[in-house]
Amino acid sequence: MTPADLAWLPLAPILTPLGIGLLLLYPWRRPVRVGLALAGALGVLVFAAWLVAATSGGAVLVSSLGGWPAPFGIVMTADRLSAWMSLLAAVSGVLAVWQAAADPDPVREKHHLFGLLFFLFAGVQLSFLTGDLFNLFVAFEVMLVASYALAVLGSTREQLREGFRYIVMNLVASALLVVTCGLAYGVLGTLNFAHLAQRSAELGPNATVTAVGVLLLIVFAAKGALFPLGFWLPGTYPALPPAVGAFFAAVLTKVGIYALIRVFTTVFNQDPALPNTLLLGLGAVTMLFGAFGAVSQREWRRIFSFTVISSVGYLAFGLGLGTPEALRASVAYLAVSVLVTAALFAIAAVAERAAGSRLVTVRGMIDFLPLLAGCFLLCALTVAGLPPSGGFVAKYALVRAGLAQGSPLALAAVFSALLASLILLYAMLGVWRGFFWGKHLVMFPVYRVPLPLRAAAYAATALVAGLTLFAGPLLGWADATAAELSEPGQYIRGVLGDEPVVIPPPPTVPEAP
Amino acid sequence: METLFAVIIGLLVAAGVFLLLSRVIVRVVLGLTFIGYAANLAILTVAGLRDVSPPLLTLPGPYMDPLPQALILTAIVIGFATTALLLTVALRAYQVAGHDDVEAFGDNLARDPGAHDGSFADPEHQSPDRPDVEDEESAPVAAGSRP
């Protein structure tokens, strides 16, 4: 199978959820709808796994839409990083559909919860697999419009308030992204990632290009909820229905992080000093902000929303260090963060259902949910980055990379990372003490949680445990990804071919007949 | 020409931000559309405001670059969709609350607005050194997300 034979493959994870989403708009009976949704999510997972397998040799798969070759038309490209992100999103998608299927919600489902969820998947996959800056904006919008609708679906007052805040914040960021696309086109005369990279490499370090890069950093920091721009996140995610919230929390911020990695390693890598300093500083503050926020909250999903913010801070820190080891640690931590967030939100859904309350101060639930308590303990250790969890492996690699880089700001960020981990551990122990430990009071009823919903939490935790067991292959994969990212020449050649791009001269006026 | 456009873009963004900071929901929506218009004009300006032919082969060159205009068209369509969606959310908030101030959404930041002085800041959280007593006043609040 050469890359040319597999040119259709980058389109498959995008078109599958789009088609399934359209099919789900028809008012099927619930079993049919759930079956269709599960089949669709598993189909996306199969295609994403195939992408990972196809790119594992370092090939770059390119599918040009409408047959227009790379710099002139829009292309879908899949390298190791894109395929990896696509796989993580597909896994979270399967878990989200599983929870939505196990937790009937007639009102929301009547108004196309499943269909919107699949349009969201399509937008997310498109953002990971597109090879074009403006098309990335379109992908963000597809993803965000679906997420806006999901955020306000059900119209509780809390959802309206948080949804409105979320929509306004993201629309401002999107407007800035449109302007930045225009500026990038004005400066470099192209929008294709590979071609942008080629031309910015020809220009060398250039203040205008750096300015465009920093504008993109601001946009993606807003989408990825870095410190000053992430104020909308802790309110928005708990307001969502649990299954949808799990997918949002696991994947949507990571789309911003992916875009940051793509832009600053592949495209605008000529003058990394300013973006890296910004990312390091913002990352260091974001981790602490997330950790302190997690300590301050008393509701399951609010606590975990803050741990999401904290994990974004760790990723920004790893990206801002700017060394290949740090990039490798960030790619590994991406997987840890996505899976553990999905698992924590699945656990939170079960716990909220069992206690009939969003609060974690119910006490003594370990008698009723012993297996869930074990799951939570593993995920808590992963979040805090303690052995024996995959979180420890990834955070250890991050801290080592920070110490190896050794600039004063990096050392400050390392200190902040260790402190944030400690605070997160305290927050997680607070949940443990409040919910599982102690003596259960008789006046609080304990509700039965349907087995499929619990099974989703257990399956997600099994994936988190798998991170520990397969930490070696994971870091090997991350190593290869980081090596590929630090050598953008391979990506550029994969997309544009070996020949230099020739822009044809403007046509001459045809002779009058 | 570029100067004029730059001034217009600046004015549009300023008006948009001013409206965005308002407390009236509909004004927030209008502010966002203004910012969207400014973004479209910015793309047009960046592409260059030269007096050249449209890209039709029957006309003598040099030709205008059509791509920025395609970008603007895409942005207009997407902006239209998001504005429509935002307006439905605003309308729904108006139906729920009966007025279109952002207060329609309520505020979850004040945990217990009716609390009198001297009460705990966070009544449902007991300090770690207190035992599992049975005299907890605050039963957990039922999750209000689902009837």
Side-chain angles (χ1 to χ4, degrees):
Chain A
M1 281 294 216
T2 60
D5 294 337
L6 287 173
W8 56 274
L9 191 55
L11 281 172
I14 303 162
L15 295 180
T16 311
L18 206 60
I20 297 277
L22 287 172
L23 279 177
L24 284 167
L25 293 181
Y26 185 82
W28 307 101
R29 286 178 303 110
R30 188 163 198 277
V32 179
R33 185 183 286 164
V34 165
L36 202 59
L38 279 172
L42 288 171
V44 179
L45 182 62
V46 167
F47 283 128
W50 193 351
L51 261 184
V52 169
T55 55
S56 61
V60 179
L61 303 183
V62 181
S63 59
S64 33
L65 302 188
W68 290 95
F72 305 105
I74 292 172
V75 289
M76 297 296 142
T77 52
D79 61 346
R80 276 197 183 92
L81 178 69
S82 298
W84 182 232
M85 296 304 298
S86 169
L87 179 69
L88 290 174
V91 170
S92 314
V94 170
L95 287 170
V97 170
W98 183 347
Q99 286 180 68
D103 188 11
D105 186 350
V107 176
R108 286 196 176 97
E109 280 171 27
K110 190 173 143 229
H111 294 283
H112 308 302
L113 177 93
F114 280 115
L116 288 168
L117 202 51
F118 272 81
F119 292 139
L120 181 66
F121 295 166
V124 167
Q125 297 283 358
L126 182 61
S127 342
F128 289 147
L129 294 168
T130 184
D132 183 280
L133 189 58
F134 195 78
N135 196 241
L136 182 73
F137 158 73
V138 174
F140 273 3
E141 289 304 309
V142 171
M143 168 180 105
L144 288 169
V145 168
S147 74
Y148 301 154
L150 283 167
V152 295
L153 195 66
S155 295
T156 63
R157 192 178 261 223
E158 182 189 19
Q159 277 188 305
L160 283 176
R161 175 184 63 238
E162 300 299 343
F164 190 77
R165 186 182 294 167
Y166 172 71
I167 295 173
V168 169
M169 178 70 212
N170 274 300
L171 282 184
V172 174
S174 295
L176 191 57
L177 182 55
V178 175
V179 175
T180 316
C181 287
L183 290 176
Y185 185 74
V187 178
L188 296 166
T190 179
L191 286 168
N192 181 286
F193 281 150
H195 203 203
L196 280 171
Q198 210 174 39
R199 288 200 165 172
S200 69
E202 283 164 14
L203 271 180
N206 175 305
T208 321
V209 175
T210 310
V212 170
V214 171
L215 273 176
L216 284 175
L217 189 149
I218 294 170
V219 172
F220 298 144
K223 308 267 182 203
L226 279 172
F227 164 61
L229 302 169
F231 58 86
W232 49 270
L233 189 146
T236 305
Y237 288 179
L240 293 159
V244 176
F247 185 80
F248 270 55
V251 177
L252 289 203
T253 51
K254 306 301 180 295
V255 175
I257 294 290
Y258 159 81
L260 281 173
I261 296 179
R262 173 63 74 218
V263 162
F264 289 114
T265 57
T266 310
V267 183
F268 297 131
N269 50 13
Q270 295 301 313
D271 186 14
L274 179 62
N276 281 357
T277 312
L278 277 173
L279 280 173
L280 258 183
L282 289 179
V285 179
T286 308
M287 317 178 211
L288 280 175
F289 174 69
F292 280 120
V295 175
S296 73
Q297 295 300 323
R298 297 279 154 257
E299 287 175 21
W300 275 102
R301 282 186 291 152
R302 280 184 192 276
I303 295 172
F304 294 157
S305 300
F306 275 108
T307 64
V308 172
I309 292 191
S310 191
S311 75
V312 168
Y314 280 98
L315 287 162
F317 156 67
L319 192 54
L321 287 173
T323 57
E325 303 88 75
L327 199 56
R328 160 177 168 259
S330 301
V331 172
Y333 188 73
L334 260 172
V336 172
S337 171
V338 168
L339 293 178
V340 81
T341 307
L344 280 174
F345 272 72
I347 290 170
V350 177
E352 284 178 4
R353 281 290 287 277
S357 150
R358 287 189 179 192
L359 294 172
V360 293
T361 47
V362 179
R363 297 195 161 251
M365 293 299 275
I366 196 167
D367 296 341
F368 307 98
L369 296 165
L371 194 52
L372 192 79
C375 289
F376 173 76
L377 204 57
L378 178 69
C379 293
L381 290 178
T382 310
V383 164
L386 289 184
S389 68
F392 167 73
V393 178
K395 276 192 184 175
Y396 178 72
L398 269 176
V399 167
R400 267 193 57 167
L403 290 174
Q405 203 247 19
S407 68
L409 189 58
L411 293 179
V414 165
F415 175 74
S416 155
L418 295 172
L419 185 63
S421 283
L422 203 63
I423 299 168
L424 277 174
L425 179 65
Y426 176 75
M428 290 291 147
L429 287 179
V431 175
W432 175 261
R433 208 185 54 225
F435 191 81
F436 293 109
W437 218 237
K439 195 162 92 260
H440 189 75
L441 296 180
V442 186
M443 58 190 200
F444 300 149
V446 178
Y447 301 95
R448 270 201 60 74
V449 184
L451 180 64
L453 199 58
R454 275 182 290 152
Y458 302 150
T461 313
L463 289 172
V464 175
L467 285 176
T468 316
L469 299 176
F470 298 104
L474 173 74
L475 279 172
W477 173 265
D479 218 6
T481 310
E484 189 176 47
L485 286 172
S486 3
E487 275 299 319
Q490 194 185 355
Y491 179 89
I492 296 171
R493 272 195 306 279
V495 176
L496 299 179
D498 298 330
E499 305 296 315
V501 176
V502 181
I503 307 288
T508 49
V509 186
E511 296 299 317
Chain B
M1 195 68 175
E2 271 87 359
T3 321
L4 179 66
F5 266 71
V7 170
I8 291 174
I9 291 167
L11 282 175
L12 276 173
V13 171
V17 171
F18 177 77
L19 288 171
L20 201 57
L21 299 176
S22 154
R23 285 190 66 85
V24 181
I25 295 171
V26 174
R27 284 192 189 176
V28 173
V29 181
L30 283 177
L32 281 170
T33 51
F34 271 51
I35 290 175
Y37 295 146
N40 294 341
L41 273 183
I43 297 179
L44 197 65
T45 316
V46 163
L49 303 163
R50 296 183 309 279
D51 189 11
V52 289
S53 325
L56 294 169
L57 292 186
T58 50
L59 298 173
Y63 299 106
M64 192 68 208
D65 185 356
L67 190 81
Q69 297 170 31
L71 301 188
I72 293 173
L73 273 179
T74 314
I76 287 175
V77 171
I78 290 176
F80 168 76
T82 47
T83 308
L85 195 121
L86 196 56
L87 277 172
T88 49
V89 175
L91 185 67
R92 189 85 192 100
Y94 176 74
Q95 288 168 345
V96 167
H99 57 88
D100 68 347
D101 189 90
V102 281
E103 271 181 20
F105 297 124
D107 189 5
N108 64 338
L109 297 179
R111 287 203 84 99
D112 188 8
H116 47 83
D117 292 342
S119 59
F120 291 112
D122 191 357
E124 68 261 24
H125 173 54
Q126 299 205 316
S127 63
D129 49 0
R130 283 175 69 182
D132 285 347
V133 284
E134 269 72 355
D135 62 351
E136 275 187 274
E137 315 85 1
S138 55
V141 188
S145 60
R146 183 164 309 165

